[in-house]
Amino acid sequence: MKFAARLGLVPPYLFAELERKIEEKSKAGIDVISLGIGDPDLPTPAAVVEEMQRQVARPETHRYPSNRGLGSFREAVAAFYGERFGVEIDPEGEVIPVLGGKEGVAHIAFACLDPHDVCLSPEPGYPPYTSGPLFAGAELHYLPLREELGFTPDFDAVPDEALARANLLFLNYPNNPTGAIAPDALFPRVVDLARAHDLIVVHDNSYSEIAFDGYRPPSFLETPGAKDVGVEIFSLSKGWNMTGWRIAWVAGNSDVVESYRRLKTNLDSGMFDALQLAAVAALTTARDFPAEMSEIYRRRRDLMIESLAAIGLRASPPKATPYIWVRVPEGYTAESFTELVLEEAAVVVSPGPSFGPSGEGFVRISLTVADERLEEAARRIASSLRVEATA
Ligand SMILES: Cc1ncc(COP(=O)(O)O)c(C=O)c1O
């Protein structure tokens, strides 16, 4: 059999590799603690589960959904954007459901990029900012996120030739994997850049509801002019512990929303109506749930930062996201440190370079395990470093 060459354009999906390693160890009877994947350990809010149960039992939800989404879903999103961000969204043409942010990211690339267009993608970054454009036949121009710039892109360093051919820019704040937040000047600068170079901006806002210390992450769409140049992808996965449900949306520029809809009518038949109605419950009845989750992650963040500091590992406490971006100890690469903690401590962390080359020197720790397991992981990492130091 011959398969499409495009499958060879991207490395094996990071988390597929991690899952394989975890399974291998677990099969050998080893108790592995995975801090590798950002998959919340706690359940979806009860109000959402109950609404889903109710809606699943209604025959009206059993037929084909529409790709545009239910009016009540789109109105709930518009009301949420109004209350949370002060952003006006027209439920008629400025919002559409997507089957998880990941699907949204990948397919927006298909809707916005022709072969030989350039896509500006931050790295380290969420892997579909790379795979989506490559599968669409486009070229990538990476935007390295460096610590000295607060993990924001240096737009001045992008060559004119890349800007001239670029048609799409991905951005993501609060950021995965670095945990960085957007400085005030960033989004206005992005709107100016997009206007000057005719770029479509896709801001991936998967983490705005997981934030700490009084910080309230903004929506890109709050920025004057943002809706003229782009859209935002918002996911219920992290804030509402709904990674398994596959619910997100694209909101903002109506031409981008419409182009995505045109593409998607040829690929699938929309989101299960019952799921959209459960999402409405998340945005209304369970509206305050992410604040409760944020408090849990804040406690875990502080616990982990303290444990890391005690063994000499440097990390600044993130103001948002359930991730800590940790510099590896002197003498290690990201990969050798990941290997050490996997083999000696049976703890899985994500090596920085798996999010892009500028991730070298860092690993990402996800706070999506119970406090006791986090403490145990920190203890094990400490003893693996001690063993290594005396070896
Ligand atoms: C930056 C970013 N965008 C999107 C997603 C995907 O979210 P979803 O579960 O909605 O596909 C993730 C998940 O880890 C993410 O980190």
Side-chain angles (χ1 to χ4, degrees), residues 209-211 216 239 286-297:
E209 303 314 290
I210 300 294
R216 295 281 279 160
R287 175 70 193 81
D288 296 331
F289 185 81
E292 292 167 33
M293 282 310 302
S294 294
E295 185 45 28
I296 292 171
Y297 289 128

Side-chain angles (χ1 to χ4, degrees), residues 100-102 126 129 172 176 204 206-207 235 237-238 246 323:
K102 186 179 192 179
Y126 184 52
Y129 306 149
N172 162 226
N176 174 21
D204 178 351
S206 290
Y207 293 99
S235 171
S237 280
K238 309 296 166 123
R246 316 310 303 135
Y323 305 120

Side-chain angles (χ1 to χ4, degrees), residues 40 49 97 103 108 136 140 147 153 164 206 213 228-229 245 258 260 264 281 288 307 310-311 313 340 343 369 372 381:
V49 174
E103 183 266 304
I108 276 209
L140 285 167
E147 193 171 25
S206 290
D213 311 329
D228 298 336
V229 298
W245 297 58
E258 173 57 14
Y260 169 85
K264 281 301 295 290
D288 296 331
S307 308
I311 52 175
L313 293 186
L340 171 81
E343 294 310 324
V369 301
E372 320 76 80
I381 293 174

